[in-house]
Amino acid sequence: MEFEDENKLHTLLLNKLNPWWNNNRPKIQSFHRADYDFIKTLIQKERSVSILGPRQVGKTTLVKQLINDLLQTIPGERILYADLGDKELLSLTKDPMQDVLQIYRKNVLNEDLSTLKDNIWLFFDEVQKDAEWAETVKSYIDHYPHMKVITTGSSSLRLSRKTKETLPGRAAMQIMLPLKFADFARIRKTIQPDLPDGDALRSFGKEMRNYFTQSLEAKNFEPLETFCNDSANYFLPFESEAQTMIQKYLQVGGYHEEVLEPDASRRNRLLL
């Protein structure tokens, strides 16, 4: 990699992608998906996590929320984020993951990777842009025990196959789908406070599954029936608003940015 390009890449990583290296926190949305806490726990347990899903479901937003949480207890210089879909980044390197790590180690971390005593966290967004991403992650995990690697990718089928073939036993794979209706309702309530409570919808779904399982085991469905009737009484005052929201969910789907977009014409362009 040429010296001039190396300097440009370092500047890009510092000023655009990793503002916490300059003690600046990233601007993030406060809303957390229903599966956020599960993924947050997963990255603590596993050496590597591969988050796969369609475009626009909120993978980048989730990753930045994870980083923001880590910054509560971890120095910023121990966290690297690189968006491999960034056109400027790709114009500066033909081997993005390796070059980004080299610049990070030399200019920010200032430690030998083989003698790390505390974890460093590497977040690589849109890894499908690097043809050798899985082999690179395998090498990191095999050689550096204090390295955590979290990747996201949009080409789910191909990336899923490559994760299973190249990283068996090394990377946990998490599929990230569009928002469920309860999450959709939680977001919409932040915009329109008079709408039904999305957290209540989510709790209702979990409790109903528990009641259903218990009823099957006990061969007694009376507790389930009572629970459903009581819940119906809670949601009944919101029936009209709920029907409107269901229609909106069917139109927009569970794509994070589109749910938050108030302008219908722009929302339609995003969906197309």
Side-chain angles (χ1 to χ4, degrees):
M1 188 177 189
E2 296 184 5
F3 180 74
E4 183 178 352
D5 287 342
E6 184 176 332
N7 282 340
K8 289 181 179 178
L9 185 53
H10 177 218
T11 301
L12 174 69
L13 291 170
L14 178 65
N15 295 333
K16 181 179 178 181
L17 300 179
N18 297 266
W20 47 89
W21 293 349
N22 283 326
N23 295 317
N24 296 318
R25 289 296 181 88
K27 295 180 180 180
I28 59 170
Q29 295 172 4
S30 58
F31 170 82
H32 286 159
R33 297 169 53 102
D35 51 3
Y36 177 79
D37 288 337
F38 174 80
I39 297 174
K40 181 180 175 180
T41 301
L42 190 65
I43 68 169
Q44 293 287 346
K45 290 169 52 180
E46 303 289 344
R47 293 280 311 285
S48 179
V49 176
S50 182
I51 303 171
L52 310 178
R55 292 179 59 83
Q56 302 297 326
V57 295
K59 297 186 298 295
T60 298
T61 296
L62 180 135
V63 161
K64 290 183 178 179
Q65 289 173 333
L66 292 171
I67 290 173
N68 193 58
D69 277 349
L70 287 172
L71 287 169
Q72 307 296 326
T73 56
I74 296 174
E77 63 269 15
R78 306 200 75 78
I79 301 173
L80 164 69
Y81 170 77
D83 178 3
L84 303 190
D86 186 286
K87 291 183 179 179
E88 185 179 358
L89 186 151
L90 292 176
S91 72
L92 296 171
T93 172
K94 294 180 179 179
D95 192 359
M97 292 183 76
Q98 294 281 23
D99 288 342
V100 162
L101 180 62
Q102 179 181 346
I103 289 171
Y104 164 68
R105 186 202 62 76
K106 184 168 68 173
N107 295 284
V108 180
L109 184 63
N110 296 313
E111 292 183 41
D112 190 321
L113 297 177
S114 61
T115 59
L116 289 171
K117 295 182 179 179
D118 297 308
N119 287 339
I120 60 172
W121 298 75
L122 310 183
F123 291 84
F124 292 104
D125 218 348
E126 299 291 349
V127 289
Q128 73 273 6
K129 300 294 183 179
D130 187 325
E132 303 299 320
W133 74 270
E135 290 77 10
T136 301
V137 172
K138 179 179 181 296
S139 176
Y140 291 168
I141 298 303
D142 287 349
H143 293 94
Y144 307 121
H146 286 289
M147 184 180 286
K148 295 266 197 174
V149 185
I150 295 88
T151 62
T152 79
S154 299
S155 302
S156 297
L157 182 61
R158 181 164 56 87
L159 290 177
S160 173
R161 185 181 300 118
K162 194 157 190 177
T163 300
K164 292 176 181 178
E165 291 175 353
T166 310
L167 299 168
R170 293 178 176 85
M173 186 169 61
Q174 176 67 19
I175 303 298
M176 189 167 166
L177 299 174
L179 297 172
K180 296 179 179 179
F181 178 69
D183 275 342
F184 175 87
R186 290 170 63 219
I187 292 181
R188 296 301 300 177
K189 188 171 177 64
T190 65
I191 304 170
Q192 297 175 255
D194 60 325
L195 292 176
D197 189 340
D199 286 321
L201 286 171
R202 197 171 85 182
S203 297
F204 167 74
K206 289 181 178 179
E207 288 189 61
M208 186 171 68
R209 282 195 297 272
N210 290 336
Y211 271 104
F212 183 72
T213 301
Q214 292 168 12
S215 296
L216 283 176
E217 292 174 350
K219 297 181 180 179
N220 177 14
F221 287 86
E222 288 184 8
L224 175 62
E225 184 179 359
T226 301
F227 169 74
C228 290
N229 288 334
D230 291 343
S231 299
N233 291 332
Y234 172 82
F235 290 111
L236 191 59
F238 302 109
E239 182 178 5
S240 177
E241 292 88 346
Q243 288 179 353
T244 300
M245 195 154 53
I246 289 171
Q247 290 177 357
K248 183 75 69 175
Y249 178 71
L250 293 174
Q251 291 171 358
V252 175
Y255 289 88
H256 196 270
E257 185 177 353
E258 287 79 349
V259 174
L260 292 169
E261 176 53 56
D263 183 87
S265 60
R266 184 173 187 276
R267 187 169 60 239
N268 290 338
R269 290 196 299 272
L270 288 169
L271 289 169
L272 293 175

